[in-house]
Amino acid sequence: VAARCAGGFPPAAPAADTAPPTSWTVRTPIVTYWAGPPMTDATARQMAAGGWNLVWCREPELDVAQRHGLRAQLTDPLLAPASLADPAHQEKLDALIARVRQHPALYSYFITDEPNAKDFPALGRLVAHLRERDPERTGGHISQFNNSAHGGSHLTIQQFKCLFPSRHFAPQ
């Protein structure tokens, strides 16, 4: 895919077991929402009582999510490709990841919503950076509408593979 989506970022490290899974088991389905209020104890109680299990949190709110048995999707302005372009911001991003990656409530990192295809190389570099520093997660959450509101660009399978390299995609 054109110099790895024109970004030249390294592919994800190969997994020890490169065979595709023979079966897939549904575990607890994700029940979430778009954005939402700050995660206070009252909000977390309401979310848990309503059957929601993945909440949007800032770093200081991770403990709130944990207290209520909720999984958390971390939001932070540092979770953006621009953080990799500035050494000071990258250092802050790396420190954030180091602080939160072992938190029991952390489920994912929210990166962006409906990006334009032209942003995929930079987003791919950020996903690879996150995976390198927190291999327990997929790298980050990027909402992608199949016909992006930003310029009408479609997410092709090549672009998807660029953003989310996986041992489950067969070589073409």
Side-chain angles (χ1 to χ4, degrees):
V1 177
R4 212 63 188 151
C5 297
F9 57 90
D17 174 17
T18 57
T22 55
S23 66
W24 183 75
T25 304
V26 175
R27 289 181 263 186
T28 305
I30 294 171
V31 182
T32 193
Y33 51 91
W34 177 248
M39 194 49 48
T40 63
D41 280 299
T43 301
R45 271 192 301 279
Q46 184 180 18
M47 293 293 180
W52 306 97
N53 61 17
L54 179 62
V55 297
W56 294 55
C57 288
R58 292 174 301 120
E59 181 182 3
E61 299 165 333
L62 287 169
D63 290 338
V64 175
Q66 182 185 7
R67 274 195 302 275
H68 297 276
L70 300 166
R71 296 179 282 181
Q73 177 167 255
L74 185 70
T75 62
D76 192 284
L78 289 168
L79 294 166
S83 292
L84 299 180
D86 177 333
H89 282 106
Q90 182 174 331
E91 187 176 320
K92 290 177 185 176
L93 173 62
D94 291 346
L96 171 68
I97 297 165
R99 286 190 309 270
V100 302
R101 70 178 174 214
Q102 298 298 317
H103 198 288
L106 182 63
Y107 179 75
S108 64
Y109 300 96
F110 177 76
I111 297 175
T112 192
D113 179 47
E114 298 180 5
N116 189 297
K118 71 177 177 52
D119 299 325
F120 290 176
L123 290 167
R125 287 188 294 275
L126 179 59
V127 168
H129 188 85
L130 288 167
R131 283 182 177 159
E132 213 174 82
R133 281 147 185 83
D134 185 357
E136 295 299 313
R137 270 154 270 292
T138 60
H141 176 88
I142 299 172
S143 295
Q144 181 61 47
F145 186 61
N146 68 351
N147 184 13
S148 178
H150 308 289
S153 58
H154 293 277
L155 181 67
T156 66
I157 192 63
Q158 290 82 12
Q159 292 162 333
F160 185 86
K161 287 179 187 180
C162 177
L163 278 174
F164 308 104
S166 169
R167 64 189 171 124
H168 305 294
F169 288 118
Q172 291 186 358

